[in-house]
């Protein structure tokens, strides 16, 4: 009689997950769950309208002829590329946005450095400097058009008269400069706030050590402060560029697109609400998004190469 001997199988001891790791995983899961509503809302508010815009761009649709509507393929895009208005508006958008962003960033850095110092009334000065950014764009455009830059009663021409200079019709003779002045005035406080936050986050011990070593104010700013402000400058330029690319109110109120100030946003307005060409306006919108992404990416990489040099990154 044969007796079968079976050896008991060895069970590997189960590894218990540490309590800290379980808690961390739980927090990550909760954080992701809390992000889903915001992500879903962003998709509904941004991607669905963009998909509809693409759909409309493939349609032949003029609101003056509601019965003549149908699928037209890429004909609207061909019309956009053949029309010289798109390229001229793209150039105007780059000129207005680029000049305004650079001027706003430079002035914002200047005011941020001044307001970072201690002096009597600094809180009041900061509040007054922020005020232009809080004004509605349409209200700011009206104030600049009639109260400051009006050819007959504007304060700018009144100041020119005090020094014996002739009056200037700003909105018609210098439309590009007029728009850039308004946008720079309005968005300089935005750049100043971001850069001021960067200055206040700077380590004071490093500045004191530089002063003890004999570094002057300009040397300290160029070698220590400016590299520290790199990420803040990038944020200010990026956010200001996104906002200024969508500027419409000053152009519609002050120049109506004349004198080379017809940006892409105003061109879309003309095609959609003046010409009533919905399909063509949608094609302009899609092309604008694509070109803006490409131009912004190239511009940002070119701009921030100055911070990638060996001397700045140290």
């Amino acid at each position: 009689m044969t007796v079968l001997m079976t050896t008991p199988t060895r069970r590997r001891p189960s590894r218990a997950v540490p309590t800290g790791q379980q808690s961390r995983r739980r927090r990550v899961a909760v954080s992701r769950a809390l992000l889903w509503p915001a992500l879903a809302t962003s998709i509904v508010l941004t991607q669905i309208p963009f998909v509809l815009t693409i759909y409309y761009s493939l349609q032949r649709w003029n609101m003056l002829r509601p019965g003549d509507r149908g699928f037209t393929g890429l004909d609207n895009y061909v019309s956009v590329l053949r029309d010289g208005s798109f390229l001229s508006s793209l150039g105007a958008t780059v000129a207005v946005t680029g000049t305004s962003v650079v001027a706003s960033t430079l002035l914002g850095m200047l005011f941020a450095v001044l307001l970072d110092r201690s002096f009597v009334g600094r809180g009041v000065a900061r509040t007054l400097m922020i005020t232009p950014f809080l004004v509605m764009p349409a209200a700011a455009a009206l104030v600049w058009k009639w109260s400051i830059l009006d050819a007959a009663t504007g304060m700018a021409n009144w100041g020119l008269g005090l020094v014996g200079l002739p009056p200037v019709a700003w909105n018609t003779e210098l439309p590009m400069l007029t728009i850039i002045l308004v946008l720079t005035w309005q968005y300089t406080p935005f750049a100043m706030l971001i850069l001021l936050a960067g200055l206040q986050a700077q380590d004071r011990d490093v500045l004191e050590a530089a002063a003890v070593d004999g570094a002057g104010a300009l040397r300290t700013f160029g070698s220590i402060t400016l590299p520290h402000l790199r990420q803040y400058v990038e944020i200010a330029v990026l956010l200001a560029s996104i906002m200024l690319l969508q500027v419409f109110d000053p152009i519609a109120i002050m120049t109506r697109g004349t004198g080379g100030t017809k940006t892409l946003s105003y061109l879309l307005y003309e095609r959609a609400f003046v010409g009533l060409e919905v399909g063509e306006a949608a094609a302009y919108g899609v092309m604008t998004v694509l070109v803006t992404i490409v131009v912004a990416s190239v511009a940002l990489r070119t701009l921030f190469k100055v911070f990638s040099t060996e001397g700045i990154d140290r």
Side-chain angles (χ1 to χ4, degrees), residues 41 82 120 143 152 172 183-184 200 264 271 286 305 308 312:
T41 303
R82 288 180 177 177
V120 179
V143 170
T172 56
L183 296 179
T184 302
Q200 293 181 346
L264 290 174
R271 289 293 188 270
V286 174
K305 280 182 180 179
S308 300
I312 294 293

Side-chain angles (χ1 to χ4, degrees), residues 67-151:
D68 184 17
R69 178 180 174 181
F71 181 78
T72 188
L74 300 178
D75 291 349
N76 289 326
Y77 292 94
V78 174
S79 299
V80 168
L81 295 177
R82 288 180 177 177
D83 190 1
S85 300
F86 179 76
L87 293 179
S88 61
S89 297
L90 177 62
T93 302
V94 173
V96 170
T97 302
T99 307
S100 301
V101 168
V102 171
S104 300
T105 304
L106 294 178
L107 290 176
M109 183 174 295
L110 174 62
F111 290 131
V113 171
L114 294 177
L115 293 178
D116 189 48
R117 301 176 179 272
S118 298
F119 58 89
V120 179
R122 184 174 64 174
V124 177
R126 288 180 178 179
T127 303
L128 294 177
M129 287 298 302
I130 298 172
T131 302
F133 185 67
L134 303 178
V135 180
M136 294 178 60
L142 289 172
V143 170
W144 274 84
K145 180 178 182 179
W146 299 111
S147 299
I148 300 177
L149 299 180
D150 185 71

